[in-house]
Amino acid sequence: MKRKVSLLIALVMVLTTLLVPTMANAAEPVKIGVIGPLSGNLATYGESTTNGVKLAIAEINEAGGVLGGRPIEVIAYEDDKGDSTEGANAFNKLVSEGAKAIIGSVTSGVTAGLATLADAEGMLLLTPTATADTVTDGVTGVFRACFRDSFQGDVAAKVAVNLGVTKVAILYASGDTYSSGLYEAFKAAAATLGLEIVATESSSSTADTDYTTQLTNIVASGAELIFAPYYYDSIGPYIVPQAREAGFTGFFVGADGWDGTQNTMTDDKSLYNGCFYTNHYAPDDPSEIVQGFVAKYTETFGAESLTALAALGYDAAYMLRDAIEAAGTDDTAAVIEALYGISFAGVTGTFTLDESGTPQKAAPVIEYVDGVAKFYAYI
Amino acid sequence: MDGLTLFIQQIINGLRVGSVYALIALGYTMVYGIIRLINFAHGDFIMVGAYALFFTVPVMIAAGMPPWLSVFAAILVCATTGVLVEKLAYSPVRAKGNKMTALITAIAMALFLENLAQTLFGANPKQVKTIFDLPQVFGVSGNTVLTIILGVVVMIALSLYVKYTKTGQAMRAVSEDKDASLLMGINVNRTITITFAIGSGLAAIASLMYVAQYNQVTNMMGSMLGLKAFVAAVLGGIGIIPGAMLGGLVIGIVESLSKAYIAPLTGGLITSAFSDAIVFSILIVVLLVKPAGILGKNTGEKV
């Protein structure tokens, strides 16, 4: 009796080993990894971006996955805590677990570090949101879904010219890759466009809460416009109200980090009139793809975390799907090959990736009118 | 704007930040003065109080009452948090370990509270409704004036309390010699609990003035605030109540003036972005030159 049981078990084991590979081949998932700051003070960006990715992956798998029925499986949504070392650990972990491609990270600082690793490993790194110019410089296999900062700085300077001002001031965070990159880009563009920079003030990080001192100096310089490349969590509650309190009545221009400021404003919304920023998409764009995304996102995750980062995360996942389909395989090198020069139509615009892996697209400029984000112009 | 007006304006800007630091430093210094524990979680008590305000201010407004009344709810929440942290974390560690273990536990509690808040309330910053609508007083914002007044009131009240009440005497005794106080019939544990309740309650008052000034609550808001207030407390003389007030205002003014004038003074070599570095180097200088702080007596004890 005992022998019979063990024979049976052995038979089952042999059969399983025979069966497993054939079953797996039919719908073996395409494994990818996602990295973003899911905790720490940048967690809100990580949350929005990965929500966008999650939404897109769920849709893709619902529609039958890629390569004729293989689902995309996210090995893990890794947390880099906004820190380069944590980011590198997450990257290595995902690579060792067999990721074919990695979407991430969110901030330029962490992503720049990952880009070097990806280049060395031959891994595909697609960042939805890292706008710093240097991220895709001198590396292969690194792509983004967003435009780059030098372009944003350019657009911001053109907005200033459009508004008819000549004297501009800059307030930026010198310890932040994103903010100082935009500062450099704006400064260069302002010089070519004939804008006079009358004051340049800085803070050590974008997490400061009091800018009154710098803003007092800016007011004293007689600037008509302030270029402030900060994030929404300091623009809304601190920089704009403190500038108005210090007696500044002119314009503000910012970049995509401003997205979401409508949720961080103080009670007096009129303070924010005359504030403009470049963004990746205009939520009030009536096109079907944008409105469809806004509706689906709000239904799944609520409206609070719906920002341009979510739209970029969503587009990044679809870009990856298109590249895998175009390559006809999930082999990393082939997908990298397919991504260069790919044309894509998504929530954040219709564009083609250039030879550096960066999209060529137009930036919508958004204006705040009594606390509501309104589309101003494409520049 | 001429140079002098600008200079005065920058001093006023310094008072604006400094008054908040001072209010926070008072709680810091109170706990240190009694238990000799640098409560690194104190900054995060401010965060707890700020979240309490975020939730209770709309309730007050809906009930037609002045929004600042919700500070009492915040005091209750903060004091409870403080006592819980003391009972669950500090007290067991104090019984077993030494000062260093207590200090590390405090850092752990700070991280714990920050991450707990993120889990509970999410990572998105929350906006608090306008709490005070005060007119400017001689060009100084009403919020700043009120913060300074509150700071002075708290400072005086605290000094009187520690000096003249029975509990206050017990606190001083515990701070002097824990074992001897026990022998004299003082309930040491109860005294420490009260100290924490008061220290954390003060954090709620600081939260009120912080959110009145800056309107925003995040789970990470306490860490930098706590560090700056710690520097302020050390500068004034940690454990000395008026020292905290003085230290806070001095730190605020140094921060503002260094932001305003360091770039032109050094020809752009050092910019306003270095102001935090300057503030923290004050800590190093104080520890080297006068470890007991401005108002402290040199007793040879190291902080």
Side-chain angles (χ1 to χ4, degrees), chain A residues 44-286:
Chain A
T44 158
Y45 308 120
E47 188 186 328
S48 295
T49 315
T50 49
N51 280 350
V53 176
K54 278 177 193 164
L55 183 62
I57 301 266
E59 283 177 21
I60 293 168
N61 287 341
E62 212 163 283
V66 288
L67 302 172
R70 292 171 62 185
I72 294 182
E73 182 195 319
V74 177
I75 300 171
Y77 290 89
E78 289 289 338
D79 182 9
D80 65 33
K81 304 188 177 75
D83 177 84
S84 302
T85 316
E86 299 274 356
N89 291 342
F91 180 89
N92 291 331
K93 180 171 171 279
L94 290 170
V95 170
S96 67
E97 284 172 9
K100 298 287 185 188
I102 292 174
I103 296 181
S105 179
V106 173
T107 53
S108 293
V110 176
T111 311
L114 298 186
T116 339
L117 289 175
D119 186 41
E121 289 271 353
M123 178 50 60
L124 190 165
L125 183 73
L126 170 59
T127 167
T129 56
T131 48
D133 285 26
T134 49
V135 166
T136 55
D137 280 355
V139 286
T140 23
V142 181
F143 304 87
R144 50 180 142 203
C146 54
F147 43 63
R148 54 168 77 208
D149 282 340
S150 52
F151 172 73
Q152 275 203 94
D154 225 38
V155 174
K158 283 179 187 152
V159 173
V161 174
N162 243 13
L163 292 167
V165 300
T166 50
K167 288 179 175 178
V168 297
I170 303 172
L171 174 66
Y172 75 105
S174 62
D176 184 80
T177 317
Y178 166 79
S179 190
S180 48
L182 276 166
Y183 154 69
E184 295 290 346
F186 181 84
K187 194 170 72 171
T192 45
L193 291 171
L195 295 167
E196 186 195 350
I197 297 173
V198 291
T200 306
E201 293 285 334
S202 58
S203 68
S204 58
S205 79
T206 54
D208 278 18
T209 52
D210 206 298
Y211 302 86
T212 326
T213 307
Q214 292 96 320
L215 290 164
T216 306
N217 278 350
I218 287 176
V219 171
S221 75
E224 302 160 282
L225 179 143
I226 301 176
F227 177 62
Y230 280 83
Y231 298 109
Y232 69 100
D233 60 345
S234 27
I235 290 294
Y238 313 136
I239 294 177
V240 174
Q242 285 169 12
R244 299 298 188 217
E245 202 181 317
F248 181 72
T249 50
F251 298 110
F252 266 100
V253 176
D256 59 334
W258 278 49
D259 189 31
T261 301
Q262 62 270 26
N263 300 324
T264 63
M265 288 178 179
T266 55
D267 290 352
D268 186 359
K269 311 286 186 224
S270 66
L271 298 180
Y272 302 87
N273 289 341
C275 289
F276 299 81
Y277 67 98
T278 52
N279 203 2
H280 300 278
Y281 86 120
D284 53 351
D285 183 335

Side-chain angles (χ1 to χ4, degrees), chain B residues 133-153:
Chain B
D133 195 10
L134 301 168
Q136 288 205 339
V137 185
F138 301 115
V140 186
S141 98
N143 276 330
T144 306
V145 175
L146 184 63
T147 314
I148 295 176
I149 294 174
L150 260 180
V152 172
V153 169

Side-chain angles (χ1 to χ4, degrees), chain B residues 138-273:
Chain B
F138 301 115
V140 186
S141 98
N143 276 330
T144 306
V145 175
L146 184 63
T147 314
I148 295 176
I149 294 174
L150 260 180
V152 172
V153 169
V154 167
M155 177 186 86
I156 293 171
L158 214 54
S159 305
L160 293 178
Y161 181 82
V162 173
K163 204 153 194 187
Y164 294 111
T165 62
K166 264 258 166 344
T167 337
Q169 280 175 345
M171 284 173 178
R172 280 185 293 144
V174 170
S175 121
E176 198 84 7
D177 190 330
K178 227 186 276 177
D179 297 327
S181 334
L182 204 59
L183 291 174
M184 299 310 287
I186 293 171
N187 188 337
V188 172
N189 277 330
R190 190 175 147 271
T191 311
I192 291 178
T193 308
I194 294 175
T195 309
F196 259 93
I198 295 175
S200 322
L202 285 178
I205 298 177
S207 304
L208 177 77
M209 294 323 292
Y210 177 87
V211 295
Q213 189 102 269
Y214 297 106
N215 292 84
Q216 183 167 266
V217 184
T218 67
N219 63 316
M220 297 300 292
M221 62 181 270
S223 63
M224 189 47 117
L225 268 181
L227 284 180
K228 294 262 179 76
F230 171 66
V231 178
V234 173
L235 176 66
I238 192 150
I240 302 159
I241 291 164
M245 191 72 202
L246 179 70
L249 296 179
V250 170
I251 291 289
I253 291 170
V254 168
E255 194 180 315
S256 173
L257 292 184
S258 61
K259 274 181 190 167
Y261 296 108
I262 199 83
L265 281 180
T266 60
L269 189 67
I270 303 177
T271 63
S272 42

Side-chain angles (χ1 to χ4, degrees), chain A residues 333-375:
Chain A
V335 181
I336 290 178
E337 191 74 23
L339 252 181
Y340 278 114
I342 204 170
S343 291
F344 179 81
V347 178
T348 64
T350 302
F351 53 83
T352 305
L353 290 187
D354 67 11
E355 68 282 1
S356 78
T358 301
Q360 298 292 311
K361 54 180 170 186
V365 176
I366 314 283
E367 178 190 9
Y368 282 119
V369 181
D370 290 325
V372 181
K374 292 250 161 71
F375 173 70

